Amino acid sequence: DGVCYMALFDAYYPRKLAFHYLEDLHRDCHNSYGPVMHTIANPHALSRIEFIINGIRKLYLDTRTQANLAKLKAGGGQIQEIPTQDISDFLFSQKES
């Protein structure tokens, strides 16, 4: 849909839940602001969707909730193929650019 969603997680956070978080974020943002998402030109404009981001974030804070455990147990997808990168590698590569 022309929007890239990216998030940083602790190394111990389950990849599968991280993937579900990004899917939920995409779905809710697209449903609420899909037609105008392409007009967001700077980070300050994201304050319009901050309540969506915070709401979804709260759902995924505790990996042990029944909903999150169900997502972890559910089958499907090759989630282990999600690209990951150590934050220090990412930050150092940005400085060199």
Side-chain angles (χ1 to χ4, degrees):
D1 297 323
V3 178
C4 177
Y5 297 90
M6 203 168 32
L8 299 174
F9 296 90
D10 287 325
Y12 68 86
Y13 197 84
R15 283 187 188 183
K16 197 168 190 177
L17 277 184
F19 186 73
H20 282 287
Y21 169 84
L22 291 170
E23 284 183 326
D24 287 352
L25 182 61
H26 168 260
R27 183 194 64 242
D28 288 2
C29 288
H30 182 74
N31 289 344
S32 298
Y33 295 104
V36 296
M37 285 296 280
H38 69 281
T39 64
I40 296 175
N42 61 59
H44 301 291
L46 291 176
S47 62
R48 297 187 329 198
I49 61 169
E50 187 174 352
F51 69 94
I52 293 174
I53 295 169
N54 287 335
I56 294 170
R57 182 179 173 272
K58 287 177 187 175
L59 295 174
Y60 285 88
L61 281 175
D62 186 354
T63 60
R64 298 166 294 155
T65 64
Q66 288 298 321
N68 287 338
L69 289 173
K71 290 174 187 172
L72 286 171
K73 289 180 184 176
Q78 293 296 326
I79 294 184
Q80 48 275 43
E81 293 180 18
I82 296 173
T84 61
Q85 186 174 0
D86 187 89
I87 188 66
S88 60
D89 293 342
F90 177 77
L91 292 175
F92 291 126
S93 69
Q94 296 302 310
K95 288 180 182 180
E96 294 170 3
S97 300

